[in-house]
Amino acid sequence: MSTFHFKKFSVQNEKSAMKVNTDSVLLGAWAEIFEGAKTGLDIGSGTGILSLMIAQRNPDIELIGIEIEKNAFEESKFNFDNSPYKNRLEAVNLPLQSFFSDQKFDCIITNPPYFENDLKNEDENKKTARHTDSLSFQELIQFAENNLSQSGRFNLILPFTESITFRKLTENSTLFLNKIAFVRPNENKNVNRVLMSFKKEETILIEEEFCVYQANQVYSQRHQKLTKEFYLDK
């Protein structure tokens, strides 16, 4: 059994098409959560890693992890049920378009599908996880507009090019970018991932740029600071 162990929880990492990876860990550690947040939604929960990280960071928040793909849903449910936060986590097997809630969410977080025109992966589960056929950027934005609480934060990570597209689409929405991080694999590589946090109130934009690695297999100081409460000490 493939299991990824963190400091305070473990993640079974077999059934979900998208495995635990740097993108998800960065997003879970970096995501903006306002003080007093009580409700959270993890869209496309996969293994459940984002929900677990947010639950660790905020002891008062209750989260729903929604996942369209059955194997991934089962894995996230297993990971929720075997975590210290099981009473605050719920796994739901539905497409976002079929999900309705009476409550607004203080934290919406997602590592969303982003490939629109690339050659489709032969693995149907990976195709669902990574292509916008099942969830378009516009649908995601509209959902966040309708379901984010007034003080809530909408957090996500995208490749650099797709992040530009996404930001342009939000210009016609009620969401405002309030925090952004441009991430490079190392000092010699270009930015390849962008972390973004949106809210319903326009504020001064907070920007940063950092590398994942400062040398071969040596994490940068910023990465270490972000993830120190999660990764096991080496």
Side-chain angles (χ1 to χ4, degrees):
M1 180 180 290
S2 174
T3 303
F4 202 107
H5 298 286
F6 291 88
K7 283 185 175 180
K8 297 185 178 181
F9 59 85
S10 295
V11 177
Q12 182 178 290
N13 197 39
E14 286 189 337
K15 291 183 176 181
S16 179
M18 301 314 299
K19 307 303 182 185
V20 172
N21 56 39
T22 299
D23 286 8
S24 292
V25 176
L26 273 179
L27 176 59
W30 179 92
E32 179 120 342
I33 315 169
F34 75 90
E35 187 175 349
K38 301 291 186 184
T39 56
L41 181 70
D42 175 5
I43 300 173
S45 56
T47 62
I49 177 66
L50 292 175
S51 293
L52 291 160
M53 292 181 74
I54 298 302
Q56 177 182 320
R57 288 179 54 190
N58 186 330
D60 297 320
I61 199 167
E62 296 183 357
L63 295 118
I64 298 171
I66 182 170
E67 174 57 56
I68 186 174
E69 202 279 306
K70 189 171 186 296
N71 287 328
F73 154 74
E74 290 176 350
E75 191 151 71
S76 60
K77 187 177 189 308
F78 176 89
N79 290 328
F80 290 173
D81 291 345
N82 288 276
S83 78
Y85 323 114
K86 60 183 179 182
N87 294 331
R88 296 190 283 121
L89 300 174
E90 178 186 357
V92 174
N93 184 203
L94 280 175
L96 187 66
Q97 296 88 341
S98 301
F99 175 78
F100 299 97
S101 175
D102 293 331
Q103 65 181 349
K104 301 290 185 180
F105 294 99
D106 297 327
C107 174
I108 297 178
I109 190 166
T110 183
N111 180 1
Y114 52 75
F115 292 130
E116 293 187 293
N117 301 313
D118 297 65
L119 184 66
K120 297 293 193 293
N121 193 301
E122 290 182 4
D123 184 317
E124 192 66 27
N125 293 342
K126 284 189 177 180
K127 186 180 78 172
T128 299
R130 273 291 167 255
H131 289 274
T132 61
D133 298 3
S134 57
L135 179 64
S136 71
F137 285 168
Q138 195 61 61
E139 286 175 312
L140 190 55
I141 291 166
Q142 186 175 358
F143 181 90
E145 284 187 282
N146 294 335
N147 292 276
L148 193 67
S149 69
Q150 196 57 41
S151 301
R153 303 292 192 274
F154 171 40
N155 301 284
L156 72 160
I157 184 169
L158 283 171
F160 179 74
T161 300
E162 285 75 8
S163 74
I164 295 172
T165 301
F166 194 90
R167 289 176 66 180
K168 287 185 180 297
L169 289 172
T170 61
E171 291 174 0
N172 297 316
S173 76
T174 56
L175 301 174
F176 297 95
L177 184 67
N178 73 292
K179 182 181 171 186
I180 189 167
F182 300 94
V183 184
R184 291 183 286 160
N186 59 55
E187 292 182 353
N188 299 316
K189 298 283 184 68
N190 293 326
V191 170
N192 70 338
R193 291 292 185 269
V194 180
L195 295 153
M196 295 174 284
S197 180
F198 294 86
K199 59 193 292 191
K200 288 192 169 182
E201 177 187 1
E202 189 170 11
T203 54
I204 296 174
L205 178 61
I206 300 171
E207 299 185 51
E208 68 171 319
E209 181 175 317
F210 63 89
C211 299
V212 174
Y213 294 101
Q214 65 182 23
N216 186 34
Q217 298 304 307
V218 178
Y219 285 125
S220 69
Q221 289 186 349
R222 177 59 173 145
H223 184 279
Q224 290 181 50
K225 183 178 179 180
L226 274 173
T227 60
K228 66 180 180 179
E229 298 301 322
F230 299 99
Y231 281 139
L232 294 171
D233 297 325
K234 295 181 179 179

